[in-house]
């Protein structure tokens, strides 16, 4: 008796599998758009490639688009250093608008600088609609330092540091150096506000663009992951939208203590009240986390 009922259960489940196959998997998953970090590319099998695969395994049927900025993987990596960020954001907005699979909306996950770039996409390009924005080690108040460079890019970093020191806010450096466009010098706050081509714009430092505010506020969730032992991002608080108090480079200020929040130029205070801001922390160095951590903490935001 027991034996035969076990057998018939197996037969039934075997049948279900046969009937469905992959065509049966319901496709009510929300697509995911990923933007890689500096020195990385869309498709490196050890980074974004692995990430895409991991998400595809965890969420059957999901469409994952790992953004390639340019026409090849090499170009994509180079553009992460040298292509005007505003142009990169336009390029991506265009690509997302053309993709029929994204028509119903998508979640977005940025890694390192890819996070603040995707925030710009949310603020500037409401169609197709971004649902959740997950910032993994992003620098929403920029950086003031470039302590380490990922992988094999250290010679490029040395060169970039020289350029930044020679004048991050000069026209030539701003236009041609990605990292200059989110360089935030607290000792030269006026220069930053006036000449930062990218970050000061999306952070509403010059004018308050009501469209930016409205678009950002229409996110369901804005998740920010901070790496507590981060040795690459300076200051690490930028990963939670904090930064140095203006005029000095020692004392920090949380997002909630900042003028940006108090004046609510970006709608972040209102979002926080509505439970839309999620602050997560993990113990690793820059972008170091386990699959278990990812599945427990971030996967819920991909549904
Ligand atoms: C549904 O999921 C399958 C398997 O991943 C995919 O090949 C297909 O394009 C998806 N269909 C739609 C309409 O998104
Ligand atoms: C505000 O942002 C929108 C979307 O990017 C843009 O079209 C518009 O020109 C901006 N307005 C101002 C005043 O900067």
């Amino acid at each position: 008796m027991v034996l035969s009922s076990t057998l018939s259960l197996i037969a039934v489940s075997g049948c279900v599998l046969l009937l469905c196959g992959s065509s049966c998997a319901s496709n009510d998953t929300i697509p995911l758009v990923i933007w890689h970090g500096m020195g990385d590319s869309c498709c490196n099998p050890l980074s974004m490639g692995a990430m895409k695969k991991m998400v595809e395994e965890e969420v059957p049927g999901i469409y994952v688009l790992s953004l390639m900025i340019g026409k090849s993987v090499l170009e994509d990596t180079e553009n992460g250093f040298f292509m005007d960020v505003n142009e990169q954001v336009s390029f991506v907005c265009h690509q997302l608008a053309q993709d029929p699979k994204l028509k119903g909306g998508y979640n977005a996950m940025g890694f390192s600088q890819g996070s603040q770039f995707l925030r710009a996409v949310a603020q500037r390009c409401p169609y197709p609609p971004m649902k959740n924005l997950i910032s993994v080690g992003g620098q929403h108040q920029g950086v003031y330092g470039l302590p380490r460079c990922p992988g094999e890019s250290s010679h490029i970093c040395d060169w970039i540091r020289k350029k930044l020191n020679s004048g991050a806010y000069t026209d030539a450096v701003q236009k041609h150096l990605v990292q200059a466009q989110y360089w935030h010098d607290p000792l030269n706050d006026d220069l930053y506000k006036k000449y930062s081509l990218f970050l000061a714009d999306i952070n509403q430092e010059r004018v308050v663009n009501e469209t930016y505010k409205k678009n950002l506020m229409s996110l369901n969730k804005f998740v920010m992951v901070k790496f507590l032992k981060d040795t690459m991002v300076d200051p690490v608080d930028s990963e939670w939208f904090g930064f140095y108090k203006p005029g000095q480079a020692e004392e920090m200020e949380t997002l909630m203590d900042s003028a940006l929040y108090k004046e609510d130029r970006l709608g972040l205070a209102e979002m926080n009240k509505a439970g839309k801001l999620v602050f997560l922390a993990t113990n690793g160095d820059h972008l170091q986390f386990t699959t278990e951590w990812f599945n427990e903490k971030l996967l819920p935001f991909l549904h």
Side-chain angles (χ1 to χ4, degrees), residues 124 209 211-212:
R124 291 177 186 166
N209 185 329
T211 307
Y212 281 3

Side-chain angles (χ1 to χ4, degrees), residues 9-214:
L9 262 179
I10 292 170
V12 167
S13 63
C15 186
V16 169
L17 279 176
L18 263 176
L19 284 173
C20 282
S22 59
S23 62
C24 216
S26 69
N27 267 18
D28 51 359
T29 56
I30 301 170
L32 176 66
V33 173
I34 295 176
W35 197 329
H36 62 78
M38 171 176 85
D40 201 1
S41 74
C42 58
C43 311
N44 181 343
L46 297 178
S47 60
M48 296 301 106
M51 179 55 54
K52 178 169 149 68
K53 220 167 168 184
M54 187 166 115
V55 172
E56 284 166 348
E57 271 164 22
E58 295 296 333
V59 189
I62 192 172
Y63 171 54
V64 181
L65 172 66
S66 182
L67 291 165
M68 178 163 87
I69 316 299
K71 293 188 205 76
S72 66
V73 168
L74 182 65
E75 227 181 275
D76 185 23
T77 307
E78 285 175 0
N79 285 338
F81 292 105
F82 304 119
M83 182 177 174
D84 185 304
V85 180
N86 291 316
E87 281 171 29
Q88 295 195 45
V89 170
S90 300
F91 176 91
V92 167
C93 285
H94 189 251
Q95 189 182 348
L96 301 187
Q98 303 280 307
D99 190 332
K101 289 191 177 143
L102 299 179
K103 259 200 306 221
Y106 65 97
N107 292 317
M109 183 157 54
F111 290 86
S112 201
Q113 68 182 17
S115 308
Q116 56 264 33
F117 302 170
L118 277 170
R119 179 161 61 84
V121 171
Q123 292 176 204
R124 291 177 186 166
C125 309
Y127 305 106
M130 189 188 290
K131 294 171 184 282
N132 293 331
L133 171 58
I134 303 161
S135 158
V136 185
Q139 303 103 42
H140 295 281
Q141 276 293 5
V143 296
Y144 184 50
L146 209 61
R148 283 204 311 121
C149 230
E152 292 144 28
S153 319
S154 56
H155 58 290
I156 305 184
C157 277
D158 290 339
W159 185 83
I160 291 175
R161 265 186 220 104
K162 252 185 232 159
K163 289 282 162 195
L164 290 170
N165 288 332
S166 80
Y169 300 116
T170 59
D171 209 37
V173 176
Q174 277 292 308
K175 284 222 173 89
H176 301 291
L177 205 53
V178 163
Q179 289 67 37
Q181 296 197 356
Y182 59 84
W183 188 255
H184 189 166
D185 182 346
L187 305 180
N188 287 291
D189 210 43
D190 292 347
L191 288 182
Y192 161 69
K193 284 179 178 164
K194 202 161 167 198
Y195 296 112
S196 161
L197 285 179
F198 174 71
L199 194 67
D201 176 74
I202 63 163
N203 284 358
Q204 311 266 51
E205 297 288 4
R206 287 187 281 268
V207 290
V208 173
N209 185 329
E210 290 297 333
T211 307
Y212 281 3
K213 195 170 166 177
K214 181 173 134 253

